């Protein structure tokens, strides 16, 4: 690992094309959870926007929150603590927390802590609690322990006579939650899940199996998907899944995107250009009259980066490029976890970009951008919204940050973006405390 040196005063300046320079004396990306010491760092976005972030819920260790925009609620969990013999010392909980409509901060008054939720540790099962919507209203799905505390199964949290209650799903042993649908027209949510074999051994011990789906009804029918179908999300209609698919293109084994139709059971590949894609996120774009759009990250071998690309349908069931976002910073080349949000009838995306060309564990920055390339130049947005904050009175750090989530507050007049910041408590990168940050985006109206 090369030593990294920075001057005492380092300014990051965005140009009109949204590129900015950062001089780092290193010839290889920083790996693991290393961080860069940058005393007195200032971001200067091209439009003059200055990042402003603060803790959303001081004193609480909130990781991976998911938001219910309609009711301004967040759901998150704490995992169990595990003994050395792999048994559970203390069980985890699921929290449902109100959001202050003026500040976007988490509000402890009215927070519900569900101690009997019994969520599994993050470990092999990736997703935490997720919101679902249907004719039954808003509900929560997550991965919980089986009754013998040895395997994983699906659990639902629903309102019962005004109280949030836990309902383990029947015939779901060995199934871990991924993504539920959010179409309020469907009679019940459709669930996208993954099979897990084996029993828990501390925080590990499970082996990933095939993905599948079911509707959460009294007597569900499970459909097990082929092994080439990977992680994905429900389309807004709640009946199709856009997902990663293992294929061979141009003589190479890659991860491409496809759409699985639960009605016809057809799995249709939508790209054929031989480039790796991941993290698809679909939405209905107001600029397209409510038609579908899709954002994903795409590997770009020529400059060793992962770009963010946005697609739309051409009216003939083909997906074409709508916009492309190359790295917002030349050293932060691996974009990850893009999601869309809508503000004032315009589509935007948020994403995290990691230092170097690798994902996860590297120092990172959070940014947003307007999607529509046909906007007037004065209306286009692309800016960094994360800020390197000094929690422990040490030099500022480029820290490791989690994937961003957006929320519209103030009755639709302002957008906040949240991310988990893993700022080290010391020079030892393993000693860190995650803090949920609540950030201004500059997207606001009077």
């Amino acid at each position: 690992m090369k030593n990294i040196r920075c001057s005492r005063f380092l300014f990051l300046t965005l140009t009109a094309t949204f590129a900015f320079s950062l001089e780092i004396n290193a010839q290889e990306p920083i790996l693991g959870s290393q961080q860069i010491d940058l005393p007195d760092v200032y971001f200067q976005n091209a439009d003059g926007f200055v990042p402003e972030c603060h803790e959303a819920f001081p004193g609480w260790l909130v990781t991976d929150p998911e938001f219910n925009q309609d009711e301004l609620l967040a759901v998150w969990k704490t995992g169990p603590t595990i003994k050395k013999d792999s048994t559970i010392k203390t069980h985890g909980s699921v929290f449902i927390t109100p959001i202050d409509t003026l500040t976007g901060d988490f509000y402890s008054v009215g927070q519900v802590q569900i101690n009997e939720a019994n969520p599994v540790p993050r470990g092999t099962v990736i997703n935490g609690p997720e919101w679902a919507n249907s004719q039954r209203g808003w509900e929560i799905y997550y991965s919980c322990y089986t009754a013998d505390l040895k395997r994983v199964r699906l659990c639902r949290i629903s309102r019962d006579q005004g109280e949030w209650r836990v309902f383990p799903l029947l015939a779901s042993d060995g199934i871990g939650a991924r993504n539920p649908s959010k179409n309020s027209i469907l009679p019940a949510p459709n669930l996208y899940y993954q099979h897990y074999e084996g029993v828990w051994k501390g925080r590990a011990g499970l082996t990933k199996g095939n993905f599948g789906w079911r509707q959460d009804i009294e007597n569900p029918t499970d459909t097990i998907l082929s092994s080439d179908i990977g992680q994905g999300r429900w389309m807004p209609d709640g009946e199709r899944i856009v997902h990663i698919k293992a294929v061979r293109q141009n003589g190479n084994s890659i991860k491409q995107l496809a759409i699985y139709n639960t009605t016809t059971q057809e799995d249709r590949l939508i790209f054929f250009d031989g480039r790796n894609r991941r993290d698809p996120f679909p939405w209905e774009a107001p600029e397209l009259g409510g038609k579908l759009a899709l954002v994903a990250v795409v590997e770009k071998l020529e400059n060793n980066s992962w770009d963010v690309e946005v697609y739309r349908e051409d009216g003939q069931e083909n997906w074409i490029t709508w916009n492309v976002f190359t790295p917002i910073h030349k050293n932060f080349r691996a974009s990850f976890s893009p999601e869309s949000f809508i503000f004032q009838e315009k589509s935007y995306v948020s994403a995290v970009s990691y230092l170097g060309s690798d994902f996860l564990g590297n120092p990172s920055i959070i940014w947003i951008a307007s999607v529509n390339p046909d906007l007037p130049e004065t209306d286009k947005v692309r800016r960094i919204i994360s800020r390197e904050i000094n929690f422990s009175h040490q030099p500022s750090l480029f820290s490791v940050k989690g994937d961003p989530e957006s929320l519209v507050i103030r009755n639709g007049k302002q957008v906040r973006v949240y991310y988990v910041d893993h700022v080290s408590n010391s020079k030892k990168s393993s000693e860190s405390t995650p803090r949920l940050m609540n950030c201004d985006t500059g997207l606001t109206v009077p």
Side-chain angles (χ1 to χ4, degrees), residues 221-236:
T221 298
D222 289 282
T223 300
I224 309 304
L225 303 177
S226 59
S227 60
D228 59 346
I229 292 179
Q231 184 178 352
R233 290 181 179 271
W234 289 99
M235 302 290 270

Side-chain angles (χ1 to χ4, degrees), residues 120-136:
V120 300
R122 189 174 180 93
T124 306
V125 180
I126 295 176
N127 279 22
E130 296 276 353
W131 290 100
N133 198 10
S134 68
Q135 293 179 19
R136 303 192 313 217

Side-chain angles (χ1 to χ4, degrees), residues 125 143-146 150-154 169 171-177 193-200 206-210 214 224:
V125 180
S143 301
C144 58
Y145 280 103
T146 52
K150 292 183 178 181
R151 303 185 69 197
V152 64
R153 64 177 170 180
L154 297 174
L169 301 194
S172 68
D173 288 11
I175 293 176
Y193 59 74
Q194 189 167 15
H195 284 270
Y196 293 88
E197 299 177 357
V199 297
W200 285 104
L206 300 183
T207 301
K208 295 179 181 179
N210 288 25
R214 65 159 67 171
I224 309 304

Side-chain angles (χ1 to χ4, degrees), residues 237-249:
D237 61 13
E239 296 178 340
R240 291 174 294 165
I241 303 164
V242 56
H243 64 87
I244 297 171
K245 185 179 180 69
V247 299
R248 287 191 64 82
Q249 289 181 349

Side-chain angles (χ1 to χ4, degrees), residues 137-310:
W138 286 98
E139 300 173 295
I140 298 162
Y141 290 86
Y142 67 102
S143 301
C144 58
Y145 280 103
T146 52
D148 60 7
L149 303 180
K150 292 183 178 181
R151 303 185 69 197
V152 64
R153 64 177 170 180
L154 297 174
C155 276
R156 181 184 73 239
I157 298 175
S158 303
R159 288 185 176 96
D160 181 21
Q161 298 182 352
E163 299 289 332
W164 292 102
R165 300 188 186 279
V166 177
F167 300 89
L169 301 194
L170 297 176
S172 68
D173 288 11
I175 293 176
R178 283 300 184 120
N179 293 107
S181 64
K182 295 178 174 63
N183 186 350
S184 61
I185 297 176
L186 294 179
N190 286 327
L191 310 181
Y192 191 53
Y193 59 74
Q194 189 167 15
H195 284 270
Y196 293 88
E197 299 177 357
V199 297
W200 285 104
K201 296 177 182 178
R203 294 181 176 273
L206 300 183
T207 301
K208 295 179 181 179
N210 288 25
F211 283 82
W213 76 275
R214 65 159 67 171
Q215 189 171 46
D216 184 24
I217 56 179
E218 186 174 352
N219 295 302
T221 298
D222 289 282
T223 300
I224 309 304
L225 303 177
S226 59
S227 60
D228 59 346
I229 292 179
Q231 184 178 352
R233 290 181 179 271
W234 289 99
M235 302 290 270
D237 61 13
E239 296 178 340
R240 291 174 294 165
I241 303 164
V242 56
H243 64 87
I244 297 171
K245 185 179 180 69
V247 299
R248 287 191 64 82
Q249 289 181 349
N250 299 338
N252 299 313
S253 297
I254 65 167
K255 299 294 178 65
Q256 195 52 277
L257 297 186
I259 296 177
Y260 176 80
N261 189 315
T262 60
T263 301
T264 64
Q265 299 189 19
E266 176 192 11
D267 192 37
R268 185 171 67 88
L269 202 63
I270 58 176
F271 296 109
F272 304 88
D273 57 4
R275 296 191 297 161
N276 276 300
R277 287 179 170 83
R278 58 181 296 169
D279 296 343
F281 191 97
W283 81 99
E284 295 171 333
E287 300 93 333
L288 304 176
K291 294 181 180 179
L292 289 173
L294 175 66
V295 63
V297 296
V298 186
E299 187 176 27
K300 192 173 182 181
L301 295 176
E302 50 265 40
N303 64 353
N304 197 23
S305 68
W306 285 81
D307 293 351
V308 173
E309 292 190 356
V310 186

